[in-house]
PDB file of all heavy atoms in Angstrom:
ATOM      1  N   THR A  62       7.230  33.379  -5.440  1.00 94.00           N
ATOM      2  CA  THR A  62       7.139  33.167  -3.993  1.00 94.00           C
ATOM      3  C   THR A  62       5.687  33.040  -3.545  1.00 94.00           C
ATOM      4  O   THR A  62       5.373  32.236  -2.654  1.00 94.00           O
ATOM      5  CB  THR A  62       7.830  34.302  -3.219  1.00 94.00           C
ATOM      6  OG1 THR A  62       7.298  35.576  -3.633  1.00 94.00           O
ATOM      7  CG2 THR A  62       9.326  34.285  -3.459  1.00 94.00           C
ATOM      8  N   ASN A  63       4.798  33.794  -4.161  1.00 95.00           N
ATOM      9  CA  ASN A  63       3.382  33.685  -3.804  1.00 95.00           C
ATOM     10  C   ASN A  63       2.852  32.291  -4.149  1.00 95.00           C
ATOM     11  O   ASN A  63       2.096  31.687  -3.374  1.00 95.00           O
ATOM     12  CB  ASN A  63       2.570  34.746  -4.542  1.00 95.00           C
ATOM     13  CG  ASN A  63       1.099  34.720  -4.152  1.00 95.00           C
ATOM     14  OD1 ASN A  63       0.743  35.072  -3.034  1.00 95.00           O
ATOM     15  ND2 ASN A  63       0.245  34.299  -5.065  1.00 95.00           N
ATOM     16  N   HIS A  64       3.279  31.776  -5.305  1.00 95.00           N
ATOM     17  CA  HIS A  64       2.830  30.439  -5.696  1.00 95.00           C
ATOM     18  C   HIS A  64       3.389  29.365  -4.763  1.00 95.00           C
ATOM     19  O   HIS A  64       2.680  28.412  -4.414  1.00 95.00           O
ATOM     20  CB  HIS A  64       3.247  30.148  -7.133  1.00 95.00           C
ATOM     21  CG  HIS A  64       2.798  28.812  -7.629  1.00 95.00           C
ATOM     22  ND1 HIS A  64       1.473  28.477  -7.815  1.00 95.00           N
ATOM     23  CD2 HIS A  64       3.516  27.699  -7.969  1.00 95.00           C
ATOM     24  CE1 HIS A  64       1.388  27.228  -8.242  1.00 95.00           C
ATOM     25  NE2 HIS A  64       2.605  26.739  -8.339  1.00 95.00           N
ATOM     26  N   THR A  65       4.636  29.507  -4.367  1.00 93.00           N
ATOM     27  CA  THR A  65       5.215  28.506  -3.464  1.00 93.00           C
ATOM     28  C   THR A  65       4.578  28.567  -2.074  1.00 93.00           C
ATOM     29  O   THR A  65       4.480  27.549  -1.390  1.00 93.00           O
ATOM     30  CB  THR A  65       6.739  28.694  -3.335  1.00 93.00           C
ATOM     31  OG1 THR A  65       7.031  30.046  -2.928  1.00 93.00           O
ATOM     32  CG2 THR A  65       7.440  28.402  -4.645  1.00 93.00           C
ATOM     33  N   LYS A  66       4.118  29.752  -1.670  1.00 93.00           N
ATOM     34  CA  LYS A  66       3.382  29.834  -0.402  1.00 93.00           C
ATOM     35  C   LYS A  66       2.047  29.115  -0.521  1.00 93.00           C
ATOM     36  O   LYS A  66       1.632  28.391   0.391  1.00 93.00           O
ATOM     37  CB  LYS A  66       3.147  31.300  -0.025  1.00 93.00           C
ATOM     38  CG  LYS A  66       4.381  32.046   0.440  1.00 93.00           C
ATOM     39  CD  LYS A  66       4.041  33.510   0.720  1.00 93.00           C
ATOM     40  CE  LYS A  66       5.280  34.292   1.118  1.00 93.00           C
ATOM     41  NZ  LYS A  66       4.971  35.741   1.340  1.00 93.00           N
ATOM     42  N   ALA A  67       1.364  29.327  -1.656  1.00 92.00           N
ATOM     43  CA  ALA A  67       0.053  28.711  -1.858  1.00 92.00           C
ATOM     44  C   ALA A  67       0.135  27.189  -1.901  1.00 92.00           C
ATOM     45  O   ALA A  67      -0.800  26.490  -1.483  1.00 92.00           O
ATOM     46  CB  ALA A  67      -0.579  29.232  -3.143  1.00 92.00           C
ATOM     47  N   THR A  68       1.258  26.675  -2.394  1.00 91.00           N
ATOM     48  CA  THR A  68       1.421  25.218  -2.505  1.00 91.00           C
ATOM     49  C   THR A  68       2.296  24.649  -1.377  1.00 91.00           C
ATOM     50  O   THR A  68       2.695  23.486  -1.435  1.00 91.00           O
ATOM     51  CB  THR A  68       2.052  24.857  -3.871  1.00 91.00           C
ATOM     52  OG1 THR A  68       3.226  25.654  -4.077  1.00 91.00           O
ATOM     53  CG2 THR A  68       1.065  25.117  -4.994  1.00 91.00           C
ATOM     54  N   ARG A  69       2.593  25.479  -0.395  1.00 90.00           N
ATOM     55  CA  ARG A  69       3.312  25.068   0.822  1.00 90.00           C
ATOM     56  C   ARG A  69       4.709  24.505   0.539  1.00 90.00           C
ATOM     57  O   ARG A  69       5.130  23.516   1.142  1.00 90.00           O
ATOM     58  CB  ARG A  69       2.481  24.051   1.624  1.00 90.00           C
ATOM     59  CG  ARG A  69       1.089  24.537   1.982  1.00 90.00           C
ATOM     60  CD  ARG A  69       0.527  23.806   3.179  1.00 90.00           C
ATOM     61  NE  ARG A  69       0.473  22.366   3.001  1.00 90.00           N
ATOM     62  CZ  ARG A  69      -0.561  21.712   2.466  1.00 90.00           C
ATOM     63  NH1 ARG A  69      -1.616  22.386   2.047  1.00 90.00           N
ATOM     64  NH2 ARG A  69      -0.541  20.408   2.360  1.00 90.00           N
ATOM     65  N   VAL A  70       5.447  25.171  -0.391  1.00 91.00           N
ATOM     66  CA  VAL A  70       6.815  24.725  -0.688  1.00 91.00           C
ATOM     67  C   VAL A  70       7.811  25.882  -0.657  1.00 91.00           C
ATOM     68  O   VAL A  70       8.893  25.779  -1.217  1.00 91.00           O
ATOM     69  CB  VAL A  70       6.879  24.020  -2.067  1.00 91.00           C
ATOM     70  CG1 VAL A  70       6.147  22.698  -2.042  1.00 91.00           C
ATOM     71  CG2 VAL A  70       6.345  24.917  -3.170  1.00 91.00           C
ATOM     72  N   LEU A  71       7.449  26.971   0.001  1.00 92.00           N
ATOM     73  CA  LEU A  71       8.353  28.118   0.062  1.00 92.00           C
ATOM     74  C   LEU A  71       9.706  27.731   0.660  1.00 92.00           C
ATOM     75  O   LEU A  71      10.753  28.224   0.235  1.00 92.00           O
ATOM     76  CB  LEU A  71       7.728  29.249   0.889  1.00 92.00           C
ATOM     77  CG  LEU A  71       8.575  30.518   1.056  1.00 92.00           C
ATOM     78  CD1 LEU A  71       8.806  31.191  -0.291  1.00 92.00           C
ATOM     79  CD2 LEU A  71       7.902  31.488   2.034  1.00 92.00           C
ATOM     80  N   HIS A  72       9.700  26.814   1.617  1.00 91.00           N
ATOM     81  CA  HIS A  72      10.945  26.416   2.278  1.00 91.00           C
ATOM     82  C   HIS A  72      11.891  25.657   1.333  1.00 91.00           C
ATOM     83  O   HIS A  72      13.050  25.431   1.679  1.00 91.00           O
ATOM     84  CB  HIS A  72      10.641  25.539   3.502  1.00 91.00           C
ATOM     85  CG  HIS A  72       9.795  24.349   3.192  1.00 91.00           C
ATOM     86  ND1 HIS A  72       8.413  24.401   3.152  1.00 91.00           N
ATOM     87  CD2 HIS A  72      10.122  23.068   2.894  1.00 91.00           C
ATOM     88  CE1 HIS A  72       7.934  23.204   2.858  1.00 91.00           C
ATOM     89  NE2 HIS A  72       8.958  22.366   2.695  1.00 91.00           N
ATOM     90  N   HIS A  73      11.423  25.312   0.148  1.00 92.00           N
ATOM     91  CA  HIS A  73      12.302  24.646  -0.818  1.00 92.00           C
ATOM     92  C   HIS A  73      13.180  25.653  -1.574  1.00 92.00           C
ATOM     93  O   HIS A  73      14.132  25.241  -2.236  1.00 92.00           O
ATOM     94  CB  HIS A  73      11.487  23.826  -1.816  1.00 92.00           C
ATOM     95  CG  HIS A  73      11.094  22.482  -1.297  1.00 92.00           C
ATOM     96  ND1 HIS A  73      11.805  21.330  -1.576  1.00 92.00           N
ATOM     97  CD2 HIS A  73      10.069  22.110  -0.487  1.00 92.00           C
ATOM     98  CE1 HIS A  73      11.232  20.306  -0.979  1.00 92.00           C
ATOM     99  NE2 HIS A  73      10.161  20.750  -0.316  1.00 92.00           N
TER     100      HIS A  73
END
Side-chain angles (χ1 to χ4, degrees):
T62 54
N63 183 69
H64 181 66
T65 55
K66 288 177 183 178
T68 51
R69 305 203 303 271
V70 292
L71 179 64
H72 55 275
H73 278 263

